[in-house]
Amino acid sequence: MSTRTPVARLRAHVGATVTIAGWVHRRRVLKSVTFLVVRDRSGTAQAVFGEPPEVTEETVVRLTGRVTDNPRAPHGVELTDPELEILCTPARRPPFDLYRPEVPATLPTVLDHAAFALRHPLLRKRFELAAASVAAFRAALDDRAFTEIHTPKIVATATESGANLFRLDYFGRPAYLAQSPQLFKQAMVGVFERVYEVGPVFRAEPHDTARHLAQYTSLDAEFGFITDHRDVMAVLRDVVAAMAEAAGPAAPAVPSPIPAVDFGAAQELLARHTGEDPRGEPDLSPAHERWLGAWAEREHGSAYLFVTGYPMAKRPFYTEPDPADPARSNSFDLLFRGLELVTGGQRRHRYSDYLAVLGDSAGQYADYLTAFAHGMPPHGGFAIGLERWVAQVLGVTNIRGTTLFPRDLHRLRP
Amino acid sequence: MSTRTPVARLRAHVGATVTIAGWVHRRRVLKSVTFLVVRDRSGTAQAVFGEPPEVTEETVVRLTGRVTDNPRAPHGVELTDPELEILCTPARRPPFDLYRPEVPATLPTVLDHAAFALRHPLLRKRFELAAASVAAFRAALDDRAFTEIHTPKIVATATESGANLFRLDYFGRPAYLAQSPQLFKQAMVGVFERVYEVGPVFRAEPHDTARHLAQYTSLDAEFGFITDHRDVMAVLRDVVAAMAEAAGPAAPAVPSPIPAVDFGAAQELLARHTGEDPRGEPDLSPAHERWLGAWAEREHGSAYLFVTGYPMAKRPFYTEPDPADPARSNSFDLLFRGLELVTGGQRRHRYSDYLAVLGDSAGQYADYLTAFAHGMPPHGGFAIGLERWVAQVLGVTNIRGTTLFPRDLHRLRP
């Protein structure tokens, strides 16, 4: 690899002759001078030519020139008298200009031309924020002696419910894409005590909404020897705090502890302050979550709000009930800016509880119940939707905008 | 969470009263005393009872007792006068003893009872080694300014070839499970320059061998602005060296550079020293790879060997040919102990080259070719099979033994 200076580090080389390489981000031909703005992974920098070089935008180039102070240049520095080498000439004209400060294209255009469009610095930044957030998720859990696992994405039975499953031809037999690593990660608590997995999950979402995808990246954690769901909330708080710190100033700081409101109390609040009376409903609507998000911001100065004690009726079968009120659960959602970002809670750990709750369908879960038959500690966990996290941090209204190549009801490409 | 001491740290608490929690790994009733060996994520420790407590192996317990020096106890320390609390009683008897130093069960038994069997310390250790290796893979690439990405696992077209694809019902349309993130990671070189992905890949392998799975974990990397495949080999060498260091003493040290042999020269060696003459063959057989692995060990004292310059005939369409001999490729395999662990190389980066090589099938790759149409630097990358890595490090002969829940022609569960 020939030596190359990232353009963001040019300032450290003023007076020296260096080589940079990247894409022609912008070509500006003025009367007596031509600027090429060159983009690489670190940023952009300007090179100055007397004669306009014969290159179009997105040409891949290598430039060797002198790093020169120029207070009027972006970042105060530019490359002068550059020698230009063309590494690759584009075969097609850009569908839109990458150098505009805002993305000059609609979401469908961006998605259709993803491999090109993601080169826009604003779009690329979303995925750098995602990568930093995932690294922080892992680091926070590594610090707590969690073990990373990789579980099957092809399964013989549904994990959550029979709905929204993608069906597969598995060597002539029916199989399904895993909707979550839930049952595997629980089983692995019996082995490693504390586990996490970062991986794709699949939902055959029949609805075309701004917040659902057919595939998304789930940040899953599960751990044993807890007292109840509050231990899970405490670990989650620290994990999200680490993610927020890694995501930078766009992510609001995470209070310690995150304010929490019981499901029943949340319904009381909604009944008292909104025109509606949701009491008796088993779940919160998206509009109610938004209202609660605004309420947490107002009352607690927090962008984050735990809602605890959801009715068992709407929680999956592996949820541990509240010992004081078996109609309520030891589970929670974490709302971030009024959107459900995380679902979690304490899980059932007694084999007999699973047999009782599953009834006739226990047989189809026999493999997964093995872990519980052989002794499992009280445990719990959570799952964070990565694309939702990034969308909420940056105020991106459609989750497709924080997915490299989204898959949905209508979109199977690019 | 009540305070709890990992059993491996008991030595630091001699004389104190502490609480430990875990599984009853072994129960030994002697004449005047009963030992419970308790296992947690950190290891095992012994607790001493006067009266035999009424617990079976794999009962989940919490013990509070005094940490006492005892040179005859494992690790020189034991818990005396313990108070015992049962957190969960197993519903089923263990299918085999977890406390035997070797795993007292065949591979099929282990796989059928995975959620139980993986509790055996020897088996668990394999996946701790896997987790440490993946962490090292990421850290090595993070240090080199790579960005982690997450790409679709549901695709409209094959990435490698039409064979071995799992077919899916995607909202009534046909779709496939991705055989690799290859084309996505290449496209993302146009955005981030340097990317990696750790994720599942899917192969509908019709053969039932000890080294093929329907799903495995691929450690993929791809980066731009290279001169040729040797730049890729140099980065790969450092990545594997980091993984070997993380894997501990079982992994042989990685020489710098790793010895490399040209494909033609490898065939000459095989013709000269084995009974066979593979010259003219477009690929190496597993037996030839084993012979070359032994040769590298003998001649270079290296468990690792690069084979370079494979014929284009057997490499995928995105492989860059050797400019000096277009029948040969700028690609390589990395053999580890005589098994192909990594495939990699320089990729084509010119749009016109893709059109020429794909011919009539260019249309079906139109989405992926977008990246190349808009200007791409010379680039290359590699993919490491995680389960193979762990198997070769630890001498596990069947790759199912280094997969938590393997999926193959016959196995879709647990």
Side-chain angles (χ1 to χ4, degrees):
Chain A
M1 242 167 323
S2 49
T3 311
R4 173 183 167 220
T5 304
V7 299
R9 294 207 205 123
L10 285 185
R11 276 222 63 80
H13 298 272
V14 171
T17 295
V18 304
T19 297
I20 65 172
W23 288 259
V24 175
H25 191 56
R26 187 175 187 183
R27 181 175 184 266
R28 289 178 64 209
V29 184
L30 305 184
K31 254 187 202 150
S32 60
V33 76
T34 293
F35 295 113
L36 290 190
V37 178
V38 174
R39 183 187 74 242
D40 72 8
R41 68 176 190 278
S42 74
T44 56
Q46 167 173 302
V48 193
F49 293 81
E51 289 297 305
E54 286 302 312
V55 295
T56 59
E57 277 146 14
E58 292 311 294
T59 301
V60 185
V61 296
R62 181 154 49 209
L63 298 177
T64 301
R66 197 178 171 76
V67 184
T68 308
D69 246 328
N70 179 355
R72 284 166 308 164
H75 313 294
V77 75
E78 63 192 8
L79 212 64
T80 51
D81 295 323
E83 209 177 285
L84 170 76
E85 183 189 352
I86 292 175
L87 298 179
C88 186
T89 302
R92 209 179 283 165
R93 286 170 56 88
F96 60 83
D97 295 331
L98 291 176
Y99 59 80
R100 306 276 175 202
E102 298 297 319
V103 181
T106 63
L107 181 60
T109 302
V110 164
L111 299 181
D112 285 342
H113 300 86
F116 167 83
L118 296 168
R119 298 179 183 185
H120 191 289
L122 267 191
L123 296 179
R124 189 179 69 184
K125 215 164 85 179
R126 296 177 181 176
F127 300 94
E128 287 165 351
L129 191 152
S133 301
V134 175
F137 169 87
R138 287 198 202 94
L141 294 172
D142 287 343
D143 281 352
R144 288 163 177 77
F146 280 64
T147 302
E148 183 178 18
I149 58 172
H150 305 280
T151 65
K153 304 309 162 201
I154 306 178
V155 294
T157 16
T159 45
E160 302 288 324
S161 72
N164 302 352
L165 276 171
F166 283 114
R167 194 186 158 112
L168 193 74
D169 173 8
Y170 192 78
F171 301 110
R173 283 175 286 164
Y176 306 95
L177 289 185
Q179 291 171 305
S180 93
Q182 182 61 34
L183 304 176
F184 293 113
K185 70 175 180 170
Q186 284 186 259
M188 290 303 94
V189 167
V191 175
F192 304 101
E193 286 188 34
R194 304 176 177 192
V195 296
Y196 67 84
E197 179 164 14
V198 174
V201 298
F202 305 94
R203 309 276 166 108
E205 284 291 345
H207 305 298
D208 193 12
T209 81
R211 56 181 198 149
H212 288 103
L213 292 171
Q215 176 189 325
Y216 68 89
T217 304
S218 185
L219 311 184
D220 266 277
E222 198 79 16
F223 59 106
F225 298 99
I226 63 172
T227 302
D228 59 27
H229 58 295
R230 286 168 296 190
D231 289 333
V232 181
M233 290 160 66
V235 169
L236 174 58
R237 184 266 152 202
D238 290 350
V239 168
V240 175
M243 291 172 69
E245 201 179 313
V254 181
S256 181
I258 293 173
V261 60
D262 177 73
F263 180 83
Q267 287 193 325
E268 296 285 345
L269 276 171
L270 288 161
R272 201 171 328 131
H273 296 289
T274 70
E276 301 165 59
D277 190 350
R279 286 172 296 184
E281 296 290 323
D283 207 352
L284 299 171
S285 70
H288 292 154
E289 291 178 347
R290 280 192 296 276
W291 189 91
L292 289 167
W295 172 83
E297 196 69 71
R298 216 162 50 229
E299 291 295 314
H300 298 283
S302 172
Y304 308 87
L305 176 70
F306 276 122
V307 181
T308 62
Y310 281 82
M312 284 295 285
K314 282 299 241 187
R315 302 305 262 197
F317 69 86
Y318 48 77
T319 307
E320 177 80 0
D322 178 348
D325 177 0
R328 301 277 159 171
S329 66
N330 270 3
S331 75
F332 59 82
D333 279 3
L334 176 61
L335 309 185
F336 171 35
R337 291 178 167 157
L339 182 75
E340 174 208 315
L341 172 70
V342 189
T343 294
Q346 182 178 0
R347 327 298 191 181
R348 299 180 191 272
H349 68 281
R350 293 172 209 89
Y351 184 65
S352 54
D353 287 352
Y354 277 100
L355 292 187
V357 72
L358 285 170
D360 289 344
S361 50
Q364 92 185 74
Y365 291 97
D367 285 329
Y368 304 113
L369 298 186
T370 299
F372 304 100
H374 290 294
M376 280 285 278
H379 64 282
F382 54 83
I384 307 173
L386 175 61
E387 294 82 358
R388 277 198 186 184
W389 163 253
V390 178
Q392 288 298 89
V393 168
L394 294 176
V396 176
T397 50
N398 192 313
I399 196 152
R400 289 163 187 77
T402 57
T403 309
L404 286 179
F405 298 95
R407 295 292 182 255
D408 64 29
L409 184 57
H410 303 294
R411 188 173 285 277
L412 179 55
R413 43 161 298 262
Chain B
M1 240 165 330
S2 48
T3 310
R4 173 183 168 221
T5 304
V7 298
R9 295 208 205 120
L10 285 185
R11 276 223 62 78
H13 297 273
V14 171
T17 295
V18 304
T19 297
I20 65 173
W23 288 259
V24 175
H25 191 56
R26 188 174 188 183
R27 181 174 184 266
R28 289 177 64 209
V29 184
L30 305 184
K31 254 188 202 154
S32 60
V33 77
T34 292
F35 295 113
L36 290 190
V37 178
V38 173
R39 183 186 75 243
D40 71 9
R41 67 177 190 280
S42 73
T44 55
Q46 168 174 300
V48 192
F49 292 81
E51 289 298 306
E54 286 303 311
V55 294
T56 60
E57 278 147 13
E58 292 312 294
T59 301
V60 184
V61 295
R62 182 155 47 211
L63 298 177
T64 301
R66 197 180 172 75
V67 185
T68 307
D69 246 328
N70 179 355
R72 285 167 306 162
H75 314 295
V77 74
E78 63 191 10
L79 212 63
T80 50
D81 294 324
E83 208 175 287
L84 170 76
E85 183 189 351
I86 292 175
L87 298 179
C88 186
T89 302
R92 210 179 283 165
R93 284 171 57 88
F96 59 84
D97 294 332
L98 291 177
Y99 59 80
R100 307 275 174 203
E102 298 298 318
V103 181
T106 63
L107 181 59
T109 302
V110 164
L111 298 181
D112 285 342
H113 300 86
F116 167 82
L118 295 169
R119 298 179 183 185
H120 190 289
L122 267 192
L123 296 179
R124 188 179 69 184
K125 214 164 86 179
R126 296 177 181 176
F127 301 94
E128 287 166 351
L129 191 152
S133 301
V134 175
F137 169 86
R138 288 199 201 94
L141 294 172
D142 288 343
D143 280 352
R144 287 162 178 77
F146 280 64
T147 301
E148 182 178 18
I149 58 171
H150 305 280
T151 66
K153 305 308 162 202
I154 305 178
V155 294
T157 18
T159 45
E160 303 288 326
S161 72
N164 302 352
L165 277 171
F166 283 115
R167 195 186 156 112
L168 193 75
D169 173 7
Y170 192 78
F171 301 111
R173 282 175 287 164
Y176 306 95
L177 289 186
Q179 291 170 305
S180 92
Q182 182 62 33
L183 304 176
F184 293 113
K185 70 176 179 169
Q186 284 186 259
M188 290 303 94
V189 167
V191 176
F192 305 101
E193 286 189 31
R194 304 175 177 192
V195 296
Y196 67 84
E197 178 164 14
V198 174
V201 298
F202 305 94
R203 309 276 166 108
E205 285 290 347
H207 305 298
D208 194 13
T209 80
R211 57 183 197 148
H212 289 103
L213 292 170
Q215 176 188 325
Y216 68 89
T217 304
S218 185
L219 312 183
D220 266 277
E222 197 79 16
F223 59 106
F225 298 99
I226 63 171
T227 302
D228 59 27
H229 58 294
R230 286 169 295 190
D231 289 334
V232 182
M233 291 159 66
V235 169
L236 173 58
R237 184 266 152 203
D238 291 350
V239 168
V240 175
M243 291 172 68
E245 201 180 313
V254 181
S256 182
I258 293 173
V261 60
D262 177 72
F263 180 82
Q267 286 193 323
E268 296 285 345
L269 277 170
L270 289 161
R272 201 173 326 132
H273 295 289
T274 70
E276 300 165 58
D277 189 351
R279 286 173 296 185
E281 296 290 324
D283 207 350
L284 298 171
S285 70
H288 291 155
E289 292 178 346
R290 280 193 296 275
W291 189 91
L292 288 167
W295 173 83
E297 196 69 73
R298 215 160 52 229
E299 291 295 314
H300 298 284
S302 172
Y304 308 87
L305 176 70
F306 275 123
V307 181
T308 61
Y310 282 82
M312 284 296 285
K314 284 299 242 186
R315 303 306 262 197
F317 69 87
Y318 48 77
T319 308
E320 177 80 359
D322 178 348
D325 176 1
R328 302 276 158 174
S329 66
N330 270 2
S331 76
F332 59 81
D333 279 1
L334 176 62
L335 309 186
F336 172 34
R337 290 178 167 157
L339 181 75
E340 175 207 315
L341 172 70
V342 189
T343 293
Q346 183 178 359
R347 325 299 190 180
R348 299 179 191 272
H349 67 281
R350 293 172 209 88
Y351 183 64
S352 55
D353 287 352
Y354 278 99
L355 292 188
V357 71
L358 286 170
D360 289 345
S361 50
Q364 94 185 74
Y365 291 97
D367 285 328
Y368 304 115
L369 298 187
T370 298
F372 303 100
H374 290 294
M376 279 285 278
H379 65 282
F382 54 83
I384 306 173
L386 175 61
E387 295 82 358
R388 277 198 186 183
W389 162 252
V390 178
Q392 288 297 90
V393 168
L394 294 176
V396 176
T397 51
N398 192 314
I399 195 150
R400 289 162 187 76
T402 57
T403 308
L404 286 178
F405 299 95
R407 295 291 182 257
D408 64 29
L409 184 57
H410 304 293
R411 190 173 283 277
L412 179 56
R413 44 160 297 262

